[in-house]
Amino acid sequence: QVRLEESGGGLVQAGGSLRLSCAAFGRTYKYYARGWFRQAPGKEREFLAGICYGDGDPLYADSVKGRFTISRDDATKTTYLQMNSLKPEDTAIYYCARGDSVAAISRGSVDLWGQGTWVTVSS
C-alpha cells in the first residue's frame, strides 16, 4: 500500500523559514511527478510547486516563486519544500501529492495525496 506522509510543519514568525518533507511509503514508480499544494481556511486548494523524476524541471506558482523551492531525493523517495520569507498569508494546511506529470499536477490531476501538515505564520 502506497502512501505519502508530510512532516515539518509548525508555527513560524513572518519572515522565517520552514522545510517540509514528504516521505513515500511502499512501492512507487520513477515516472511519477511530485508536487505540493496548500489549502487555507475558506479557500480552495492551491497548487504551489511540482517536480519531475530526477529532481529536475520544477514548476512554481507565481505566489511562491522565488520564496519556495521544491526538490526530491528518489533514493529515499522523499520530496521537500523549502519555504523562505514566510508571510501570514502562507498559513494553511500543506499537502504533498503524486501525479503523472508536473503539468497534470499543476492542473489538480493527482492520484495520491498526503494527509497534510499545518503551517502557521504569525505576524
Side-chain angles (χ1 to χ4, degrees), residues 1-96:
Q1 184 174 0
V2 179
R3 64 183 179 91
L4 304 177
E5 183 175 320
E6 302 92 338
S7 61
L11 176 65
V12 65
Q13 293 279 86
S17 298
L18 284 175
R19 191 187 193 195
L20 305 182
S21 298
C22 176
F25 299 90
R27 185 176 296 277
T28 188
Y29 301 97
K30 67 180 182 181
Y31 64 85
Y32 279 119
R34 305 280 286 275
W36 288 92
F37 291 73
R38 68 185 179 192
Q39 188 164 18
K43 295 186 179 294
E44 296 181 352
R45 191 165 296 189
E46 175 190 13
F47 169 78
L48 300 176
I51 191 165
C52 66
Y53 173 81
D55 198 29
D57 297 326
L59 176 67
Y60 297 97
D62 288 341
S63 61
V64 303
K65 193 175 299 181
R67 298 191 298 126
F68 292 8
T69 302
I70 187 172
S71 61
R72 66 189 288 173
D73 183 344
D74 293 312
T76 62
K77 300 191 292 184
T78 304
T79 306
Y80 303 96
L81 187 68
Q82 177 67 45
M83 305 186 295
N84 299 325
S85 302
L86 284 163
K87 306 172 182 179
E89 52 262 44
D90 294 320
T91 296
I93 303 175
Y94 283 70
Y95 299 91
C96 64

